[in-house]
């Protein structure tokens, strides 16, 4: 026994650890390690993230160095972190300062609103009776599963419960029992945003909205009709703001009256948030570390949060501030003089000065969720909530309330793997305590800043008698022998039970049902017995409830349907589970797979794993045993190179499987335990499927495990595998020869919805991967085997791709959908399983339904071929196509408008489009006429676009170089709610000779279809119909953006969110466009009264939904309170434009409009922001800071000022005394545009034909070689510029 002396531990018995897990102390004494250290061989450490002191110690015996951890905490509480203010110190602070926020007694103010913690009951309020109660989620009780209605719904506890109601007199209960009436679940009460104990204010109430209101239950004949059978609450929450919205939807059924009338009801709580998607538990993402600066964003710039700091005389420093450190509660005080400010009696001015003093030089807008947040990633930042003096001013309308205390309240939590948690901030609020100005000493006002961090982590309750889930060794060590032995040593803690009936006991349960002893080797369940006699496994992962129900019998036809899969089998190939050296397991990859399976299991799905790896794991273990079995003399006198080269006998596979099976399962148990999920091992052979009784036992066992929310882990019993059985595939039943066939057999036997086969290749290729022209097959159909050439097997494992395809087709025939994907790629293995279930284009999807048209890959290839033919046409022929399309737009006007009417009616009925988008969706006769005119302009101006010589150079005699324009290639244009975009972009692509892929929004499906049909009709006159393709398949935009080998340029046309999403999703494909259109108009002091109102009205009101509409109006300060300013305000009021005041503009007004939340808002409606600037220089700086480089305008009669503005504003379009709406390809004379680009490369501003062209170089020589131009060569470079050929005057 090689043991290391250490203090006795209450949680783990270190003396029970195996030989390989701890370094020897008895025979390795004399080193530099202290007795209070625990050491392991460094080569065994997979990941170390301990908060304790560590050391790497040389071993006296010359073997591997040791990794040692200083054990200064007997409990080894893994999550304990040093805090400036500990829980035990709270009583002292409360006694000293009076309350938890550390305010002095003289500064005590009414307490701020509370917030829900995870698991808290959700409060509801009945207005009619003024009764405060709790939202209920009934659960079942007892063996019969009767409903218990008193169970409260827990905040953030997304889950589903089912129970049964039995009616003695259904005729009476039908109309009197509120549990059967949908109205009782939403009509008479409201939900409180946050828990409160005093007066319920209207602003704290959230109405419960019924998605589809139902009528009351009623008797008809002998049946109770319209009875609620399922209730689904969708609850939106947001940080410290609490619950934001609540909706409920129902499913109903009918009950017949009989002696045992009963109803099974299902209740689901689903919590979601718009801003916390990044909070899903993921390992490897660093959170905040105690003492690290808290990150905030000011106008997009990342900086540290800071608070006031006092000078030596007690006054507030104007330059120095304290940095807020994560986890450190702080309180600072200083004095500030208000006397100089009293010269301006404006209360708002004094307030703003004090706010600015509290916040620093600049106003913080957002805070970082983690300490590694990137300033360009919006999803990693959240808005700071601010409650200022305006709330307290309601009670004293004549008072000037000014801030004297700023309390920064920060809520944080730990999420992720229990073995490797991360600290994330979930909400931050600036809470100002205010006092009337008249009660303050103006000479020196004391101000206070308080920072409080509140840990909202809600650890799950551990099973009775067990250690807390988060008590761990101070390092992560994935070494399964240790875990396996610990389990054996603690068998006295385990209870034996049979699955049917199941005898449960608190603590760990050892389950070994007699009828499947041969099938199940070992099952450990960290479970607890509940009152309702059901097994509950504890989890700290938020549940995501999804509707998962599907009648088995037919596989899914499309990838998008995979999200409905409830029962899923994940097959892990040997190449996925094992390391590259085939000796040992790929622990990091395996941990990531377990994490994904756990997340899907906690969503309510039923997950099963078919795994390989026992042989590789056993091979590693046996090799260690062979090395350790050497004598000490051999180990000391053998050099390191000799050890490496030492011949190890060939290990028999069955022996390796026997040695590795228990360790492999122990490893799975350890990993799944991190998510508090139970796992069970089942070993099978082919003979188990031939014996009908064994098949039934296996089927029953698996169903019982799935019912108890346990993940079965299945493997072939390679330790006792018999000789191969006669192939029974010809009888219609696949034989189990490897884990591929085992997974397929189990998938069909268990009627699973989805089988995911992970291998070491991206999927199925039409020829061996790595060979020339090998293409990944996105969707594979039965009967396509003849078009595939199979290669060799993977480096390990029994089967190959041919075996996988055979198994997949057999499973598909049995009604199970199959996806084969890569589980080893480091960039995708961390989310490959969840991506597949979400319907993303990963791997090869096996489907029985062939699409009616070509795949998007085929469309892209057709578009490229058609584009090359198009570019080879004469300019007159391309122009003829565009003229024909223009004629079709007017000739087929009625059919186009009829299709557009269908789109508008569907959008209005579904209510899924906002008014600005509805306007963009609408087509009219005038729009079609304008389109036709624009297309004719394109045709007229495109005669010499392609192949135009833009540079000619004579390199040397008879060696001439030309630079000519050529098409870019294949364009992908993604647009939403704008069917008029389709003919515009098509005409530009035709004129420039580019192939075109179009992806329109489904809201314009009918309009896009007919417009594309007309486009192809026009292209057909010269045989290039395929050059323009409309993607009608269920392709996600993210999947299209991955086709970097087929698409050359992406042009998004739509909302700023669409453009940002595409820019983020595009991998290796350039994106041309703008994400926002924040256009400014600056009114100078020398502006003409007549021009100002006309230009502003046209810029804002002519088409407010356009990207070139005015969003921010900048006005020179000298124009305030002048007739011109009044005319501007009156005009905007008449046009019903909602005005938002910028910070500086609001400071000049006693009663200002609503202050703008951000100066970077694109309203897209009759709204705009007004801000004040002191000069044209400040206007330029404002535009550079808050603008989007789209279009900006100056209105002035001063030519010098105008030229300064035109030269210094760095935007795509800069105008003088002209409306922003002129920023348009048609108005520029380009005929049309594919979009407006704000980038600085290739094209900028409205992009017409020129922006869709690139160049190539043509060199014409006569037996020229570079060596002739050397120092002693016969030729010299001339580099003469030659005249360009004359352009076509037409």
């Amino acid at each position: 026994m090689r043991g290391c002396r250490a203090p006795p531990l209450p949680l783990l018995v270190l003396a029970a650890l195996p030989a390989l897990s701890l370094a020897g102390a008895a025979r390795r004494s004399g080193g530099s390690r202290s007795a209070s250290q625990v050491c392991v061989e460094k080569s065994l450490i997979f990941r170390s993230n301990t908060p304790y002191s560590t050391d790497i110690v040389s071993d006296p015996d010359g073997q591997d160095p040791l990794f040692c951890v200083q054990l200064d905490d007997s409990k080894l509480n893994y999550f304990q972190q040093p805090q400036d203010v500990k829980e035990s110190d709270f009583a002292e602070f409360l006694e000293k300062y009076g309350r938890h926020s550390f305010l002095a007694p003289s500064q005590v103010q009414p307490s701020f609103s509370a917030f829900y913690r995870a698991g808290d009951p959700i409060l509801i309020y009945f207005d009619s009776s003024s009764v405060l109660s709790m939202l209920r989620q009934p659960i079942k009780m007892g063996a019969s599963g009767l409903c218990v209605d008193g169970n409260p719904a827990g905040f953030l506890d997304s889950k589903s419960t089912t129970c049964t109601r039995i009616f003695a007199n259904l005729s009476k209960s039908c109309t009197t029992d509120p549990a059967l009436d949908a109205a009782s679940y939403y009509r008479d009460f409201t939900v409180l945003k946050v828990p409160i104990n005093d007066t319920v204010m209207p602003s704290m109430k959230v109405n419960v909205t019924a998605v589809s209101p139902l009528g009351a239950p009623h008797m008809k004949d002998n049946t109770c009709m319209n009875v609620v059978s399922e209730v689904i609450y969708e609850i939106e929450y947001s940080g410290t703001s609490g619950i934001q919205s609540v909706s409920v939807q129902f499913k109903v059924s009918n009950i017949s009256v009989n002696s045992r009338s009963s109803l099974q009801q299902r209740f689901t709580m689903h919590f979601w948030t718009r801003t916390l998607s990044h909070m899903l538990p993921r390992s490897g993402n660093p959170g905040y570390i105690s003492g690290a600066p808290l990150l905030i964003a000011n106008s997009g710039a990342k900086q540290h949060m800071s608070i006031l700091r006092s000078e030596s005389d007690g006054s507030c420093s104007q330059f120095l501030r304290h940095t807020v450190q994560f986890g450190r509660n702080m309180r600072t005080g200083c004095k500030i003089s208000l006397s100089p400010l009293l010269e301006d009696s404006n209360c708002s001015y004094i307030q703003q000065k004090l706010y600015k003093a509290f916040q620093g030089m600049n106003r913080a807008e957002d805070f970082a969720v983690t300490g590694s947040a990137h300033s360009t990633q919006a999803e990693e930042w959240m808005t700071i909530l601010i409650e200022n003096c305006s709330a307290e001013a309601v009670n004293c309308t004549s008072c000037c309330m000014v801030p004297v205390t700023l309390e920064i309240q920060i809520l944080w939590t730990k999420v992720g793997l229990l073995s490797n948690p991360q600290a994330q901030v979930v909400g931050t609020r600036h809470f100002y305590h205010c006092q009337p100005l008249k009660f303050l000493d103006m000479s020196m006002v004391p101000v206070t800043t308080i920072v409080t961090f509140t840990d909202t982590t809600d650890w799950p309750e551990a099973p009775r008698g067990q250690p807390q889930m988060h008590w761990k060794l101070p390092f992560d060590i994935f070494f399964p022998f240790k875990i396996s032995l610990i389990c054996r040593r603690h068998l006295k803690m385990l209870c034996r039970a049979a699955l049917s009936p199941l005898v449960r006991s608190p603590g760990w349960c050892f389950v070994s049902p007699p009828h499947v002893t041969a099938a199940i080797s070992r099952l450990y369940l960290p479970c607890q017995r509940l009152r309702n006699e059901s097994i509950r496994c504890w989890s700290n992962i938020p549940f995501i409830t999804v509707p998962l129900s599907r009648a088995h019998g037919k596989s899914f036809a499309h990838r998008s349907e995979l999200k409905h899969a409830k029962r899923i089998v994940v097959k892990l190939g040997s190449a996925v589970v094992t390391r590259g050296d085939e000796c040992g397991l790929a622990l990091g990859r395996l941990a990531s797979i377990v994490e994904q399976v756990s997340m899907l299991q906690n969503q309510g799905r039923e997950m099963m794993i078919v795994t390989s790896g026992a042989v590789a794991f056993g091979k590693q273990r046996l090799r260690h045993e062979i090395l350790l079995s050497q004598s000490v003399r051999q180990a000391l006198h053998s050099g390191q190179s000799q050890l490496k080269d030492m011949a190890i006998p060939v290990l028999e596979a069955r022996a390796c499987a026997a040695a590795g099976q228990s360790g492999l399962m122990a490893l799975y148990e350890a990993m799944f335990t991190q998510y508090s999920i139970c796992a069970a091992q089942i070993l099978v052979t082919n003979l188990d499927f031939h014996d009908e009784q064994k098949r039934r036992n296996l089927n029953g066992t698996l169903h019982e495990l799935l019912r108890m929310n346990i993940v079965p882990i299945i493997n072939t019993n390679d330790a006792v595998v018999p000789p191969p059985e006669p192939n029974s595939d010809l009888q219609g039943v696949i034989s189990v020869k490897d884990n591929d066939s085992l997974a397929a057999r189990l998938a069909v036997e268990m009627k699973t919805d989805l089988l995911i086969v992970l291998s070491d290749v991206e999927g199925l290729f039409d020829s061996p991967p790595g060979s020339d022209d090998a293409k990944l097959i996105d969707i594979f159909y039965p009967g396509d085997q003849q078009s595939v050439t199979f290669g060799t097997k993977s480096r390990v494992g029994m089967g190959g791709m041919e075996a996988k395809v055979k198994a997949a087709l057999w499973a598909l025939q049995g009604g199970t959908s199959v996806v084969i994907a890569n589980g080893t790629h480091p960039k995708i293995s961390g989310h490959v399983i969840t991506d597949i279930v979400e319907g993303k284009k990963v791997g090869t999807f096996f489907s029985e339904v062939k699409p009616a048209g070509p795949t998007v890959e085929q469309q892209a290839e057709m578009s490229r071929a058609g584009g090359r033919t198009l570019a080879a046409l004469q300019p007159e022929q391309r122009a003829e196509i565009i003229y024909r399309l223009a004629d079709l737009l007017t000739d087929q006007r009625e059919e186009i408008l009829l299709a557009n009417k269908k789109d508008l009616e569907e959008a209005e009925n579904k209510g899924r489009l906002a008014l600005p988008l509805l306007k963009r969706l609408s087509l009219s006769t005038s729009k079609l006429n304008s389109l036709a005119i624009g297309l004719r302009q394109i045709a007229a101006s495109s005669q010499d676009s392609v192949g135009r010589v833009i540079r000619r150079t004579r390199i040397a005699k008879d060696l001439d170089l030309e630079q000519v324009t050529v098409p870019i290639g294949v364009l992908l244009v993604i647009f939403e709610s704008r069917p008029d975009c389709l003919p515009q972009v098509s005409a530009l692509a035709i004129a420039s000779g580019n192939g075109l892929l179009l992806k329109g929004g489904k809201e314009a499906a009918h309009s896009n279809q007919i417009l594309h049909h007309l486009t192809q009709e026009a292209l057909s006159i010269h045989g290039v119909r395929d050059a323009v393709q409309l993607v009608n398949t269920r392709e996600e935009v993210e999947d299209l953006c991955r086709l970097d080998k087929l698409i050359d340029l992406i042009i998004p046309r739509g909302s700023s969110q669409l453009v940002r999403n595409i820019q983020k999703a595009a991998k290796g494909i350039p994106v041309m466009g703008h994400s926002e259109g924040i256009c400014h108009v600056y009114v100078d002091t020398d502006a003409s009264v007549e021009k100002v109102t006309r230009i502003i009205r046209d810029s804002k009101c002519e088409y407010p939904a356009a990207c070139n509409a005015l969003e921010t109006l900048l006005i020179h300060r000298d124009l305030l309170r002048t007739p011109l300013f009044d005319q501007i305000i009156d005009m905007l009021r008449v046009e019903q434009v909602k005005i938002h005041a910028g910070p500086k503009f609001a400071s000049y007004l006693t009663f200002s409009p609503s202050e703008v939340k951000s100066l970077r808002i694109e309203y897209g409606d009759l709204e705009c922001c007004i801000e004040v600037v002191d000069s044209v220089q400040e206007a330029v700086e404002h535009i550079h800071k808050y603008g989007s480089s789209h279009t900006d305008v100056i209105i002035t009669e001063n030519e010098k000022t105008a030229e300064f503005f035109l030269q210094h504003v760095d935007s795509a379009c800069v105008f003088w005394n002209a409306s922003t709406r002129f920023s348009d390809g048609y108005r520029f004379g380009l005929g049309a545009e594919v979009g407006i680009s704000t980038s600085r490369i290739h094209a900028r501003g409205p992009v017409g034909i020129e922006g869709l062209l690139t160049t190539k170089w043509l060199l014409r020589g006569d037996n020229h070689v570079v060596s002739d131009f050397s120092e002693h060569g016969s030729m010299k470079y001339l580099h003469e510029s030659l005249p360009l050929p004359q352009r076509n005057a037409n």
Side-chain angles (χ1 to χ4, degrees), residues 399-565:
C399 301
C400 177
M401 304 295 291
V402 295
V404 294
T405 299
L406 168 60
E407 186 170 353
I408 303 176
Q409 303 158 351
I410 302 166
L411 308 183
W412 67 281
T413 186
K414 288 180 179 174
V415 300
L417 288 169
L418 292 178
S419 66
N420 183 22
Q422 58 170 292
Q424 292 189 354
V425 178
V426 295
T428 297
R429 179 168 71 166
H430 285 186
F431 188 83
Y432 287 95
H433 301 272
C434 309
Q435 289 187 10
L437 181 63
K438 59 185 178 181
F439 295 151
L440 298 176
D441 180 6
M442 306 304 173
S443 58
M444 293 297 281
V445 176
V447 292
T448 306
T449 307
I450 302 161
V451 180
T452 58
F453 287 84
T454 303
D455 183 359
T456 61
T457 306
D458 189 21
W459 296 113
E461 182 184 355
R464 190 180 308 157
Q466 294 302 305
Q468 294 292 319
M469 297 284 298
H470 51 284
W471 284 1
K472 291 280 180 185
L473 280 172
F475 47 84
D476 287 7
I477 174 169
F478 285 93
F479 203 72
F481 305 135
K482 175 185 67 177
I483 300 167
S484 177
L485 275 180
I486 290 174
C487 292
R488 294 199 189 99
R489 297 285 183 179
H490 287 72
L491 282 178
K492 61 184 179 181
M493 298 172 58
L494 310 179
C495 56
R496 295 185 178 273
L499 282 177
S500 182
L502 184 62
V503 180
R504 303 170 184 86
S505 178
W508 291 67
C509 301
F510 180 79
V511 181
S512 181
H515 63 283
V516 286
T517 303
I520 302 182
S521 103
R522 192 170 65 253
L523 168 65
Y524 299 97
L525 303 177
C527 306
Q528 185 179 27
R529 177 166 58 90
L530 302 178
R531 292 183 180 180
N532 61 357
E533 299 299 323
S534 66
I535 289 290
R536 177 180 179 184
C537 297
W538 305 90
S539 173
N540 195 40
I541 302 175
F543 287 97
I544 304 175
T545 305
V546 293
L548 301 173
S549 60
R550 185 178 78 95
H552 187 81
K554 191 172 182 181
S555 60
F556 294 118
H558 305 283
R559 285 183 185 268
S560 58
E561 298 173 354
L562 295 180
K563 60 177 177 288
H564 300 298

Side-chain angles (χ1 to χ4, degrees), residues 48 206 239 500 614 651 658 669 712 905 949 955 1085 1169:
S48 171
V206 177
S500 182
L651 301 175
E669 291 169 359
E905 289 175 351
V949 180
I955 304 297
T1085 51
C1169 168

Side-chain angles (χ1 to χ4, degrees), residues 964-1030:
V964 299
T965 57
V966 293
I968 289 177
V970 176
L971 313 177
L972 169 61
V973 178
I974 303 171
F975 57 98
E976 56 183 7
S977 302
R978 297 191 64 169
D980 55 328
C981 175
L982 193 150
Q984 287 181 343
V985 174
S986 299
L988 289 171
I990 294 168
S992 56
N994 284 290
L996 180 61
L997 272 180
L998 294 160
K999 174 65 174 175
K1002 56 186 176 182
E1003 65 279 353
H1006 297 99
S1007 305
N1008 291 337
Q1009 196 68 43
I1010 188 171
L1011 290 171
H1012 177 251
H1013 174 74
L1014 297 177
T1015 302
Q1016 289 200 316
E1017 182 179 337
L1019 288 164
S1020 298
I1021 64 177
H1022 287 295
V1024 286
R1025 179 185 181 89
D1026 293 339
V1028 177
Q1029 298 285 329
L1030 178 64

Side-chain angles (χ1 to χ4, degrees), residues 59 428 556 574 603 725 906 942 992 1220:
D59 190 84
T428 297
F556 294 118
S574 301
Q603 290 178 1
E725 289 290 310
E906 290 181 7
S942 63
S992 56
T1220 60

